[in-house]
Structures are given as C-alpha cells and as structure tokens.
Amino acid sequence: MKNWKSMILTAAVFAGCGVKAPEPYGALPTPAQVEWQKMEFNMFVHFGPNTFTNVEWGDGTESVDVFAPTALDCRQWAAIAKEAGMKGIIITGKHHDGFCIWPNPESTHTVAQSKWRDGKGDIFKELSEACREYGLKFGVYISPWDQNDPHYGTPEYNEVFRRTIEHAHTNYGEVFEQWFDGACGEGPNGKQQVYDWDLFNGEVYRHHPNAMIFTDVGPGCRWIGNESGIAGETCWSTLNIKGFGPGRQAPPKKSLNGGDMNGEAWVTGEADVSIRPGWFWRESENDDVKSLDHLLYIWYNSVGHNSLLLLNVPPDTRGLINESDQARLKEFRQALDEIFSTDYADGAAIEASHVRGRGYEAANLLDDDYDSYWTAEDDVRQATLTLSFNEPRTFNRVQLQEYIPLGQRVCGFNIEALDADGNWKRIGESTTIGYKKIVLTDMVTTTGLRINITDALAVPVLNGLSLYKDEIYKGYVYAGTNSDALWYKLDVPLEWSADEKTLVKGFIYSPDHEDNCITRYRLEASVDGQTWTEVFANKRFDNIVNNPIPQEVIFKKPIEAKALRLIPIETREDDGYASREFAAVL
C-alpha cells in the first residue's frame, strides 16, 4: 500500500509542476480495485442442475445426468456479453448442491461423472477460452456450502474446499474475480461447516494476487445487501469489517448497501441482480425478462451509485442464452449508447471557487484523462464548480466522479442551473459521489450550471463532470406485490380452496418483501376441506430473503385436492403482517 501511495504522489507532483498533490485520505483502493470498478458492467451466469430441475437451490441428491445441455455454446454467451458492453463473465462453477460444471477431482458430483459429452465436458475451459477470444475477463463463483460432499460439516472439508479452489484457479488462465457466497446450510450428514475464510482467500491470492474476492466483507468487493441491483443513494466504498464475516456474520444490511463513512477497509459494493425473476433459467419466465425501464432504473442505482453492476443472464437447457434475454440486452445496450453518447458539458467554460494550483485546474474535469483531476487547498471542505455555455444546453443527467485512488471524500453536494431570468435554481442534490454518481434531474435547458460541494471529509478531488440527456427512461417504481394481495398474520395458515376437488400441479407463494416472509413451511392438502393430508413436512423457500420473488413449487406429480394449506414453520420476523398471495397451480 505504501508503494501505491508513493506512486500516486510522485506522479501527481510531477503533473502539477511542483505543486504538491493532496495527501491520500482514509482507506484506499488497490490499483486492481480501481481497474475493477472501471469495468462497471459484468455478466453473471447461473448454470447447473437447477437449470434442468426448475428449482433455485438443489439439495445435492440430483443425478449427475440431470445436467445435459443439448447445444452448449459459451462463445454465444461471450458474444452477447461483448455486444451488451459487459467487460467480464462470472460463472457458477459450483452452487449449493455441490455439482461442479468442471471436472473437479475433489468431487464425485461433477460433469466428469455425467453422461454429458461422455464425461469429458468442461465448461470452465470452454468459457475461459471464449472470454479470451472476445476480450472479456473470466471469473468464477464457487459456493462453500456443499449438500453433496460427505466431508461437509467436518474439519476435513475446509482442505477439500481449498483444493477445489486450487483446481479452479490453476487450469483456466487469469481469473479476475472469485465470487464466494456466504451460504452455510446443512450438509448430507446434517451438520454445518465452520469455514476457514483466511485459508480460502489465501488460496485465491496464491494463484491470482490481483483477483477481486467477493464476500459480505470483501476483501475485494462486497455484496450490496440485496439481489435487486440497488446500491444506496449514500454509498461509501469504505466498510468496517472487524468483527464481521461472510454470511450470518455479515455487517448490517444498511452498511452493506451504503458502506460506512470513514470505514476501515476499501470494499466497494457490487450490485448483483438477475435479468429474470429467478437466478436459474425457467421456461415459465421467458416472458418475465425485466423491462428496459427496469434495467435503466437498475443502472442508475448501481453504476450511478458508486457500484459495479453484475447482471445475471442464465442459459437455458440448450446451454444458450434465450432469445428473449438476448433481445432485451440488445435494447438495453442501444439505450445506454443513445443516452451516454453525447456529453453536453463538452466545450463548456468551467471555473472553480478554489484551485490548488497549476495542474489541478477545474478544466481537468472535462478532459478524458482519468488521472487528471481538480482539487483545492488542503483546508477546503466546501467549493463551487461553475460551467458556462455559449448557447443553451439541454440535459437531465449530471454525472460526477471522484478520483478514488486518493480516497473517497465528498459527503454532500447540490446542483443548480441558471434559469431564464438569471437566477440559480436547484435541480438536484445528493450525498456521496465515489467512482461515479449519476443524478437524475428534470429536463433542463440552461446556459449555466453550478456544482456546490457542501461537505467533505477532506479536500475534494474530482476527475469527471458530464451532462447527458435521457429521453428513453420513463421511470420505474419497484413494487413488491400487486394491489390484489391478501393480508395475513405470519402465524396464520394461508389457504386456497376450489369449489370441487381437482388435480393440482403445485402452488405459488408471493412474499411481500424480504423483511417479513415465510422461509420454511408445512403444506397440507384436503379433498373435502375437512380432513388434511401432509404434502411437505418441513420445506424451505430457497433464497427468499435475499430475492423475495413469487415462489413456484411444482409437485413431482399432480395431487387431487379441493384445498391447500400453507403453514409457516419459520419466518423472517417473529410477528407482524405481510401482504402475500397464495394460489394453486392447476
């Protein structure tokens, strides 16, 4: 870290013609973390047995032969990611069921034991080669939870998992990110594992010292606290990590979503979200791909809130990205290109109320050099940047960037535009900036703009100011349930009934939101509405807390029933009310 600071200071002093650069402030990113955040947009790929079994979380008892893509083409994935403007792909090499989509010698639950390609398939190999061909970076997701491995829940498992990481990181070239899920459930012996995170992280760094490691506490980047792709309006890249860990030991969701001001470590947020309701492909969701407005909403609240966007695009049972997902990604890319192709700040005159000296002028905000920046004297905490235009400019997006190699500093600012009468009118305000902040305003036509920095932890250091016009985004309001949802107390069974008994294929349960929902349940059926037969004794809604979407549960074979009764066993909260739907699938 000292060498990195010295490099920054030496370069800045030289560029400033003898004017000393500002001292770095607080926790700092490594060069690898800076380059990672510049990627902005990557693809997540959830692919495995769950793709073929129509569940979110498998239980490790699935036959290896369930995994049988008929037309796998990783080059198709890479081509689509490239066209969408993504810079890297992260693939689920092993989910909680334990099945490995590469021939992991530490497991007997892999593609090597399956009939698919006579046991010679290796998706890590095919995808890493496709990424290199298309100029993309290759990353892996490997869940430490394993519901198949007999060692899970014993001290031996940590070494098994270390070797699993070793095999994933030694045969496929550079790995830019290791995604660790903090999930820690029961294994086949009914026991839970105590993970050795120092051992796991050390193994990653042994092979790829510059890899980003994702967990709730980094050390490379952190979960943003939801699976909706939404970072906080206030979003610090710094986080307090002492006393916390991945999974159940994670920091509060408020800290995950917004970071901690003056946090002890640089652990930037990564906003993960699926383009579909679920993480794995389902045919029933082909018409439920997120709308263009929804994706733009996510962009503004992830990349535009100092985070990196990781968008999941799951292949189907062919092993191809579905046509509906392809079409929406193409539409999304075209919209982003149209919105951000013209910078209406270009050619503007710019002044600053304070300038540190030669080499740190406000004009540096408008050039294309990431490493040139404006800053002021050390004691400055408030400053104004004023843009003047020769003729009126029209825009509704204001983008600001801090020079994060020197730390994150700004914690309050507002934006003003000059109206037709020559008065300054406030059009926006916010708190943090970080790597990038995009402020959405009403459409403004003006000959002048002011950025007023109202509060900062140290002298502000900004390296980017741009103005854009978005005539595509119409506004998206995230809603948990529709207006027809019923209200139930969580300890009261939910019932569905019909006029007469019929064949029922399954049911759908829609939670209100993550803070108040059923996580485990018992299901009973009745043919007369009087006597009840147990269908499930103790079943889990997979990942419902982090991804509170409608849960569709399909029975192995249809049952005859006049009524169904869903009885909560475990809930997110002990009491309270939640708006939910419960319906049969006929």
Side-chain angles (χ1 to χ4, degrees), residues 45-46 128 244 417 427 436:
V45 174
H46 276 62
S128 61
F244 297 109
I427 61 170
K436 181 173 286 186

Side-chain angles (χ1 to χ4, degrees), residues 27-98:
L28 300 177
T30 66
Q33 286 176 310
V34 174
E35 293 307 309
W36 174 85
Q37 192 150 15
K38 288 179 182 178
M39 297 175 77
E40 296 193 355
F41 186 28
N42 292 327
M43 180 184 281
F44 215 177
V45 174
H46 276 62
F47 192 50
N50 298 344
T51 306
F52 302 85
T53 57
N54 201 42
V55 299
E56 280 290 275
W57 289 0
D59 61 11
T61 62
E62 305 87 356
S63 167
V64 292
D65 294 328
V66 163
F67 184 79
T70 57
L72 178 77
D73 185 358
C74 292
R75 294 181 72 256
Q76 186 233 24
W77 309 355
I80 291 169
K82 183 75 171 181
E83 184 180 10
M86 297 166 171
K87 303 299 191 295
I89 299 178
I90 299 173
I91 176 76
T92 53
K94 179 171 84 75
H95 206 254
H96 312 325
D97 49 67

Side-chain angles (χ1 to χ4, degrees), residues 273-470:
V273 61
S274 184
I275 198 168
R276 291 163 170 258
W279 287 95
F280 290 89
W281 178 85
R282 290 186 179 89
E283 185 175 12
S284 61
E285 293 179 354
N286 282 347
D287 294 328
D288 292 328
V289 174
K290 286 180 172 55
S291 67
L292 175 60
D293 258 5
H294 195 168
L295 291 177
L296 288 171
Y297 171 82
I298 289 169
W299 183 271
Y300 288 129
N301 286 278
S302 56
V303 177
H305 280 183
N306 187 37
S307 185
L308 182 144
L309 174 57
L310 182 62
L311 181 64
N312 180 62
V313 187
D316 57 25
T317 52
R318 297 172 299 175
L320 300 174
I321 292 175
N322 194 264
E323 289 75 8
S324 55
D325 306 60
Q326 290 186 56
R328 189 52 41 78
L329 283 174
K330 185 174 182 179
E331 184 183 21
F332 186 35
R333 181 71 262 162
Q334 289 173 342
L336 291 175
D337 287 345
E338 181 175 335
I339 294 166
F340 294 103
S341 61
T342 301
D343 184 352
Y344 292 92
D346 285 350
I350 184 168
E351 296 180 345
S353 60
H354 301 78
V355 177
R356 190 176 190 86
R358 186 180 176 188
Y360 301 103
E361 296 88 356
N364 292 344
L365 287 162
L366 304 182
D367 64 24
D368 294 326
D369 184 354
Y370 181 83
D371 293 309
S372 72
Y373 53 85
W374 160 82
T375 189
E377 301 89 349
D378 287 339
D379 60 348
V380 172
R381 299 294 181 271
Q382 298 177 333
T384 296
L385 299 159
T386 304
L387 279 75
S388 301
F389 310 113
N390 291 329
E391 55 187 21
R393 304 280 178 95
T394 301
F395 54 87
N396 60 353
R397 303 288 181 260
V398 180
Q399 178 178 293
L400 297 170
Q401 292 188 266
E402 281 186 87
Y403 187 61
I404 59 173
L406 290 176
Q408 188 176 356
R409 303 156 181 254
V410 175
C411 45
F413 68 92
N414 63 58
I415 306 167
E416 296 175 310
L418 201 61
D419 67 16
D421 297 323
N423 300 312
W424 290 103
K425 180 182 178 181
R426 184 172 295 188
I427 61 170
E429 60 186 326
S430 192
T431 52
T432 54
I433 297 175
Y435 166 75
K436 181 173 286 186
K437 184 60 163 278
I438 303 175
V439 179
L440 279 61
T441 72
D442 291 336
M443 196 69 76
V444 175
T445 299
T446 184
T447 57
L449 186 78
R450 281 201 312 213
I451 309 296
N452 301 305
I453 297 172
T454 58
D455 196 10
L457 304 174
V459 57
V461 181
L462 272 62
N463 67 336
L465 196 172
S466 297
L467 306 173
Y468 300 105
K469 181 163 51 176
D470 179 355

